Amino acid sequence: MRVLAVDYGSRRTGLAVTDPLQIIVSGLATVETVNLDAYIREYMQVEKVQKIVIGYPVHKDGNPTKLVPVIEKFADGLKKDFPALDIVYHDESFSSQHAREVIMASGAKKKKRRDKALVDKVSAVLILQDYLKH
Protein backbone atom coordinates (compact mmCIF):
# COMPACT_ATOMS: atom_id res chain seq x y z
CA MET A 1 0.00 0.00 0.00
CA ARG A 2 1.11 3.52 -0.75
CA VAL A 3 1.89 6.48 1.46
CA LEU A 4 0.55 9.82 0.23
CA ALA A 5 2.10 13.15 1.26
CA VAL A 6 0.29 16.47 1.29
CA ASP A 7 2.03 19.86 1.22
CA TYR A 8 -1.11 21.86 1.98
CA GLY A 9 -1.26 25.43 0.73
CA SER A 10 -3.92 28.09 0.82
CA ARG A 11 -4.16 28.14 -3.01
CA ARG A 12 -2.32 25.05 -4.25
CA THR A 13 -1.42 21.76 -2.64
CA GLY A 14 1.48 19.56 -3.65
CA LEU A 15 1.08 15.79 -3.50
CA ALA A 16 3.64 13.01 -3.52
CA VAL A 17 3.29 9.27 -3.20
CA THR A 18 5.34 6.15 -2.67
CA ASP A 19 5.28 3.05 -4.81
CA PRO A 20 3.27 0.15 -3.29
CA LEU A 21 6.42 -1.20 -1.57
CA GLN A 22 7.05 2.24 -0.04
CA ILE A 23 10.58 2.44 -1.43
CA ILE A 24 10.39 5.14 -4.10
CA VAL A 25 8.83 8.59 -3.65
CA SER A 26 7.45 10.43 -6.68
CA GLY A 27 5.70 13.71 -7.18
CA LEU A 28 2.03 13.02 -7.88
CA ALA A 29 0.37 16.34 -8.68
CA THR A 30 -0.21 19.92 -7.70
CA VAL A 31 -3.91 20.53 -7.14
CA GLU A 32 -5.89 23.68 -6.53
CA THR A 33 -6.68 23.39 -2.82
CA VAL A 34 -10.41 23.91 -3.44
CA ASN A 35 -10.31 20.66 -5.47
CA LEU A 36 -8.11 18.71 -3.04
CA ASP A 37 -10.81 16.67 -1.30
CA ALA A 38 -12.27 15.49 -4.61
CA TYR A 39 -8.82 14.68 -5.99
CA ILE A 40 -7.89 12.56 -2.97
CA ARG A 41 -11.24 10.73 -3.03
CA GLU A 42 -10.74 9.85 -6.70
CA TYR A 43 -7.14 8.78 -6.09
CA MET A 44 -8.17 6.56 -3.17
CA GLN A 45 -10.70 4.78 -5.39
CA VAL A 46 -7.93 3.81 -7.80
CA GLU A 47 -4.95 3.27 -5.47
CA LYS A 48 -4.61 1.64 -2.06
CA VAL A 49 -3.24 4.14 0.43
CA GLN A 50 -2.15 3.06 3.89
CA LYS A 51 -1.17 6.43 5.30
CA ILE A 52 -1.34 10.14 4.58
CA VAL A 53 1.52 12.33 5.76
CA ILE A 54 0.52 15.98 6.03
CA GLY A 55 3.14 18.69 6.19
CA TYR A 56 2.88 20.64 9.44
CA PRO A 57 4.11 24.23 9.04
CA VAL A 58 5.75 25.97 11.98
CA HIS A 59 7.59 29.25 12.39
CA LYS A 60 11.29 29.37 13.23
CA ASP A 61 10.38 29.65 16.91
CA GLY A 62 8.42 26.38 16.72
CA ASN A 63 4.96 27.90 16.92
CA PRO A 64 2.37 26.73 14.36
CA THR A 65 1.60 29.01 11.43
CA LYS A 66 -1.84 30.49 10.78
CA LEU A 67 -2.49 27.71 8.24
CA VAL A 68 -2.38 24.97 10.89
CA PRO A 69 -6.07 25.19 11.95
CA VAL A 70 -7.10 24.87 8.29
CA ILE A 71 -4.78 21.87 7.86
CA GLU A 72 -6.14 20.24 11.01
CA LYS A 73 -9.71 20.72 9.74
CA PHE A 74 -8.68 19.10 6.44
CA ALA A 75 -7.11 16.16 8.34
CA ASP A 76 -10.25 15.77 10.48
CA GLY A 77 -12.31 15.53 7.29
CA LEU A 78 -10.01 12.81 5.96
CA LYS A 79 -10.28 10.88 9.23
CA LYS A 80 -14.05 11.09 9.03
CA ASP A 81 -14.17 9.97 5.38
CA PHE A 82 -11.47 7.28 5.73
CA PRO A 83 -11.52 6.05 9.35
CA ALA A 84 -9.15 3.13 8.68
CA LEU A 85 -6.52 5.45 7.17
CA ASP A 86 -3.52 6.43 9.27
CA ILE A 87 -3.04 10.21 9.11
CA VAL A 88 0.11 11.78 10.55
CA TYR A 89 1.69 15.21 10.60
CA HIS A 90 5.32 15.80 9.70
CA ASP A 91 7.38 18.95 10.12
CA GLU A 92 7.64 20.73 6.80
CA SER A 93 10.05 23.45 7.91
CA PHE A 94 11.93 24.94 4.98
CA SER A 95 10.53 22.36 2.54
CA SER A 96 9.63 25.02 -0.05
CA GLN A 97 13.04 26.64 0.22
CA HIS A 98 14.73 23.24 -0.09
CA ALA A 99 12.49 22.39 -3.05
CA ARG A 100 13.63 25.54 -4.86
CA GLU A 101 17.25 24.55 -4.21
CA VAL A 102 16.63 21.04 -5.56
CA ILE A 103 14.95 22.42 -8.69
CA MET A 104 17.82 24.85 -9.26
CA ALA A 105 20.42 22.12 -8.75
CA SER A 106 18.62 19.97 -11.30
CA GLY A 107 19.59 22.47 -13.99
CA ALA A 108 16.01 23.52 -14.71
CA LYS A 109 15.63 26.61 -16.84
CA LYS A 110 14.61 29.90 -15.20
CA LYS A 111 10.97 29.60 -16.28
CA LYS A 112 10.70 26.11 -14.76
CA ARG A 113 12.33 27.28 -11.52
CA ARG A 114 9.62 29.92 -11.14
CA ASP A 115 6.82 27.36 -11.52
CA LYS A 116 5.16 27.44 -8.08
CA ALA A 117 3.20 24.28 -8.85
CA LEU A 118 6.48 22.42 -9.35
CA VAL A 119 7.81 23.80 -6.06
CA ASP A 120 4.68 22.54 -4.26
CA LYS A 121 5.03 19.06 -5.74
CA VAL A 122 8.74 18.84 -4.96
CA SER A 123 8.02 20.07 -1.42
CA ALA A 124 5.58 17.18 -0.96
CA VAL A 125 8.28 14.77 -2.20
CA LEU A 126 10.78 16.18 0.30
CA ILE A 127 8.28 15.95 3.18
CA LEU A 128 7.56 12.31 2.35
CA GLN A 129 11.22 11.40 1.91
CA ASP A 130 12.04 12.97 5.26
CA TYR A 131 9.12 11.20 6.94
CA LEU A 132 10.20 7.81 5.56
CA LYS A 133 13.80 8.42 6.57
CA HIS A 134 12.75 8.99 10.18
Side-chain angles (χ1 to χ4, degrees):
M1 294 173 86
R2 297 177 187 272
V3 177
L4 177 69
V6 178
D7 180 30
Y8 194 97
S10 56
R11 285 188 246 157
R12 284 176 318 279
T13 297
L15 300 169
V17 68
T18 65
D19 64 302
L21 297 175
Q22 299 180 10
I23 298 171
I24 299 170
V25 177
S26 302
L28 178 62
T30 301
V31 180
E32 296 296 321
T33 301
V34 297
N35 300 324
L36 181 59
D37 287 332
Y39 185 92
I40 289 178
R41 277 185 184 72
E42 281 183 38
Y43 185 79
M44 302 271 290
Q45 288 178 353
V46 176
E47 297 291 343
K48 292 182 181 179
V49 175
Q50 173 186 1
K51 183 182 294 185
I52 295 183
V53 177
I54 301 173
Y56 195 83
V58 294
H59 294 291
K60 288 181 183 180
D61 64 4
N63 288 315
T65 69
K66 64 181 180 179
L67 196 56
V68 166
V70 178
I71 292 170
E72 290 172 341
K73 184 178 178 184
F74 164 72
D76 289 344
L78 286 175
K79 289 176 188 175
K80 189 176 178 182
D81 292 344
F82 306 101
L85 190 63
D86 190 14
I87 298 173
V88 297
Y89 295 109
H90 189 72
D91 182 10
E92 70 166 38
S93 299
F94 307 107
S95 63
S96 294
Q97 179 182 349
H98 189 202
R100 286 185 197 93
E101 292 168 2
V102 167
I103 293 167
M104 183 174 281
S106 74
K109 295 191 187 282
K110 192 173 186 178
K111 184 177 180 182
K112 194 73 165 172
R113 291 193 311 253
R114 290 185 179 167
D115 182 359
K116 291 182 182 180
L118 178 60
V119 171
D120 293 334
K121 188 173 14 175
V122 172
S123 293
V125 168
L126 295 173
I127 291 166
L128 188 50
Q129 285 176 332
D130 190 58
Y131 173 80
L132 293 173
K133 187 169 54 174
H134 291 98

